[in-house]
Amino acid sequence: MDTAEISTERGKIRISDAALAALARAASLAVPGVAGMDSSLVQGISSMMGFPENTEGVRVSIKDQCVALSLYIKVRHGIRIPDLALKLQERVKAFVESMTGLSVSAVNIYVQGVVFE
């Protein structure tokens, strides 16, 4: 399990990649047009490693105290995917940065399917 570390005058704060994934997932599901997170590839690997359900559809990479997020999403039918992806990148980046104080270097979006309702 990777952790991001923030040093303060009072000590160090470590944030696990599972906690970062949970934040990114919550922010993603709040964006209109996102029908859900895809659990096929990412969740299979995560469940073998013992990560909780709330990391479903998110992969986190931490390098030099910068966070890179990969989001595997399902999109609602009728939504313009490039517009949704841009909005999702902006909102997830802002949310994770505001909640953690860490720098988000990338938010990669992988559309895994379209949900027809």
Side-chain angles (χ1 to χ4, degrees), residues 33 35 74-79 113-117:
K74 295 177 187 173
V75 177
R76 295 191 191 287
H77 178 262
I79 301 295
V114 177
V115 175
F116 296 88
E117 294 180 325

PDB file of all heavy atoms in Angstrom, residues 33 35 74-79 113-117:
ATOM      1  N   GLY A  33     -24.037  12.603 -14.971  1.00  0.00           N
ATOM      2  CA  GLY A  33     -23.642  11.919 -16.199  1.00  0.00           C
ATOM      3  C   GLY A  33     -22.822  10.673 -15.928  1.00  0.00           C
ATOM      4  O   GLY A  33     -22.735   9.789 -16.778  1.00  0.00           O
ATOM      5  N   ALA A  35     -22.665   7.269 -14.489  1.00  0.00           N
ATOM      6  CA  ALA A  35     -23.648   6.276 -14.060  1.00  0.00           C
ATOM      7  C   ALA A  35     -23.093   5.363 -12.976  1.00  0.00           C
ATOM      8  O   ALA A  35     -23.848   4.766 -12.222  1.00  0.00           O
ATOM      9  CB  ALA A  35     -24.097   5.439 -15.255  1.00  0.00           C
ATOM     10  N   LYS A  74     -18.612   4.410 -15.943  1.00  0.00           N
ATOM     11  CA  LYS A  74     -19.709   4.116 -16.859  1.00  0.00           C
ATOM     12  C   LYS A  74     -20.474   5.421 -17.039  1.00  0.00           C
ATOM     13  O   LYS A  74     -20.724   6.135 -16.072  1.00  0.00           O
ATOM     14  CB  LYS A  74     -20.621   3.048 -16.280  1.00  0.00           C
ATOM     15  CG  LYS A  74     -19.942   1.704 -16.121  1.00  0.00           C
ATOM     16  CD  LYS A  74     -20.869   0.712 -15.466  1.00  0.00           C
ATOM     17  CE  LYS A  74     -20.137  -0.571 -15.165  1.00  0.00           C
ATOM     18  NZ  LYS A  74     -20.955  -1.504 -14.392  1.00  0.00           N
ATOM     19  N   VAL A  75     -20.837   5.720 -18.276  1.00  0.00           N
ATOM     20  CA  VAL A  75     -21.474   6.994 -18.620  1.00  0.00           C
ATOM     21  C   VAL A  75     -22.938   6.766 -18.971  1.00  0.00           C
ATOM     22  O   VAL A  75     -23.295   5.767 -19.604  1.00  0.00           O
ATOM     23  CB  VAL A  75     -20.737   7.632 -19.827  1.00  0.00           C
ATOM     24  CG1 VAL A  75     -21.397   8.920 -20.268  1.00  0.00           C
ATOM     25  CG2 VAL A  75     -19.274   7.866 -19.489  1.00  0.00           C
ATOM     26  N   ARG A  76     -23.782   7.696 -18.560  1.00  0.00           N
ATOM     27  CA  ARG A  76     -25.197   7.624 -18.933  1.00  0.00           C
ATOM     28  C   ARG A  76     -25.366   7.928 -20.426  1.00  0.00           C
ATOM     29  O   ARG A  76     -24.669   8.776 -20.975  1.00  0.00           O
ATOM     30  CB  ARG A  76     -26.017   8.626 -18.130  1.00  0.00           C
ATOM     31  CG  ARG A  76     -26.046   8.336 -16.661  1.00  0.00           C
ATOM     32  CD  ARG A  76     -27.090   9.184 -15.943  1.00  0.00           C
ATOM     33  NE  ARG A  76     -26.926   9.075 -14.507  1.00  0.00           N
ATOM     34  CZ  ARG A  76     -27.257   8.003 -13.793  1.00  0.00           C
ATOM     35  NH1 ARG A  76     -27.775   6.966 -14.383  1.00  0.00           N
ATOM     36  NH2 ARG A  76     -27.070   7.987 -12.488  1.00  0.00           N
ATOM     37  N   HIS A  77     -26.289   7.244 -21.055  1.00  0.00           N
ATOM     38  CA  HIS A  77     -26.565   7.455 -22.477  1.00  0.00           C
ATOM     39  C   HIS A  77     -27.029   8.884 -22.715  1.00  0.00           C
ATOM     40  O   HIS A  77     -27.784   9.446 -21.931  1.00  0.00           O
ATOM     41  CB  HIS A  77     -27.652   6.475 -22.941  1.00  0.00           C
ATOM     42  CG  HIS A  77     -28.031   6.662 -24.369  1.00  0.00           C
ATOM     43  ND1 HIS A  77     -29.127   7.377 -24.749  1.00  0.00           N
ATOM     44  CD2 HIS A  77     -27.421   6.246 -25.503  1.00  0.00           C
ATOM     45  CE1 HIS A  77     -29.204   7.388 -26.080  1.00  0.00           C
ATOM     46  NE2 HIS A  77     -28.182   6.710 -26.546  1.00  0.00           N
ATOM     47  N   GLY A  78     -26.546   9.477 -23.793  1.00  0.00           N
ATOM     48  CA  GLY A  78     -26.948  10.827 -24.166  1.00  0.00           C
ATOM     49  C   GLY A  78     -26.006  11.911 -23.665  1.00  0.00           C
ATOM     50  O   GLY A  78     -26.176  13.081 -23.983  1.00  0.00           O
ATOM     51  N   ILE A  79     -25.035  11.558 -22.875  1.00  0.00           N
ATOM     52  CA  ILE A  79     -24.074  12.520 -22.334  1.00  0.00           C
ATOM     53  C   ILE A  79     -22.887  12.606 -23.286  1.00  0.00           C
ATOM     54  O   ILE A  79     -22.364  11.592 -23.733  1.00  0.00           O
ATOM     55  CB  ILE A  79     -23.588  12.082 -20.931  1.00  0.00           C
ATOM     56  CG1 ILE A  79     -24.761  11.968 -19.962  1.00  0.00           C
ATOM     57  CG2 ILE A  79     -22.510  13.008 -20.402  1.00  0.00           C
ATOM     58  CD1 ILE A  79     -25.459  13.277 -19.670  1.00  0.00           C
ATOM     59  N   GLY A 113     -18.060   1.864 -20.350  1.00  0.00           N
ATOM     60  CA  GLY A 113     -19.347   1.477 -20.881  1.00  0.00           C
ATOM     61  C   GLY A 113     -20.346   2.620 -20.830  1.00  0.00           C
ATOM     62  O   GLY A 113     -20.108   3.654 -20.229  1.00  0.00           O
ATOM     63  N   VAL A 114     -21.450   2.396 -21.528  1.00  0.00           N
ATOM     64  CA  VAL A 114     -22.557   3.341 -21.558  1.00  0.00           C
ATOM     65  C   VAL A 114     -23.770   2.652 -20.979  1.00  0.00           C
ATOM     66  O   VAL A 114     -24.080   1.505 -21.338  1.00  0.00           O
ATOM     67  CB  VAL A 114     -22.838   3.825 -22.997  1.00  0.00           C
ATOM     68  CG1 VAL A 114     -24.038   4.755 -23.034  1.00  0.00           C
ATOM     69  CG2 VAL A 114     -21.620   4.502 -23.592  1.00  0.00           C
ATOM     70  N   VAL A 115     -24.455   3.342 -20.062  1.00  0.00           N
ATOM     71  CA  VAL A 115     -25.635   2.782 -19.418  1.00  0.00           C
ATOM     72  C   VAL A 115     -26.875   3.377 -20.060  1.00  0.00           C
ATOM     73  O   VAL A 115     -27.050   4.594 -20.086  1.00  0.00           O
ATOM     74  CB  VAL A 115     -25.606   3.074 -17.890  1.00  0.00           C
ATOM     75  CG1 VAL A 115     -26.886   2.616 -17.224  1.00  0.00           C
ATOM     76  CG2 VAL A 115     -24.387   2.429 -17.251  1.00  0.00           C
ATOM     77  N   PHE A 116     -27.734   2.512 -20.596  1.00  0.00           N
ATOM     78  CA  PHE A 116     -28.997   2.925 -21.199  1.00  0.00           C
ATOM     79  C   PHE A 116     -30.090   2.740 -20.166  1.00  0.00           C
ATOM     80  O   PHE A 116     -30.233   1.661 -19.595  1.00  0.00           O
ATOM     81  CB  PHE A 116     -29.306   2.072 -22.437  1.00  0.00           C
ATOM     82  CG  PHE A 116     -28.311   2.257 -23.538  1.00  0.00           C
ATOM     83  CD1 PHE A 116     -27.160   1.483 -23.593  1.00  0.00           C
ATOM     84  CD2 PHE A 116     -28.523   3.202 -24.516  1.00  0.00           C
ATOM     85  CE1 PHE A 116     -26.239   1.641 -24.606  1.00  0.00           C
ATOM     86  CE2 PHE A 116     -27.602   3.384 -25.535  1.00  0.00           C
ATOM     87  CZ  PHE A 116     -26.460   2.593 -25.570  1.00  0.00           C
ATOM     88  N   GLU A 117     -30.854   3.787 -19.909  1.00  0.00           N
ATOM     89  CA  GLU A 117     -31.903   3.679 -18.900  1.00  0.00           C
ATOM     90  C   GLU A 117     -33.261   3.850 -19.533  1.00  0.00           C
ATOM     91  O   GLU A 117     -33.485   4.564 -20.435  1.00  0.00           O
ATOM     92  CB  GLU A 117     -31.699   4.735 -17.824  1.00  0.00           C
ATOM     93  CG  GLU A 117     -30.437   4.482 -17.058  1.00  0.00           C
ATOM     94  CD  GLU A 117     -30.177   5.511 -15.973  1.00  0.00           C
ATOM     95  OE1 GLU A 117     -30.498   6.684 -16.155  1.00  0.00           O
ATOM     96  OE2 GLU A 117     -29.615   5.109 -14.963  1.00  0.00           O
TER      97      GLU A 117
END
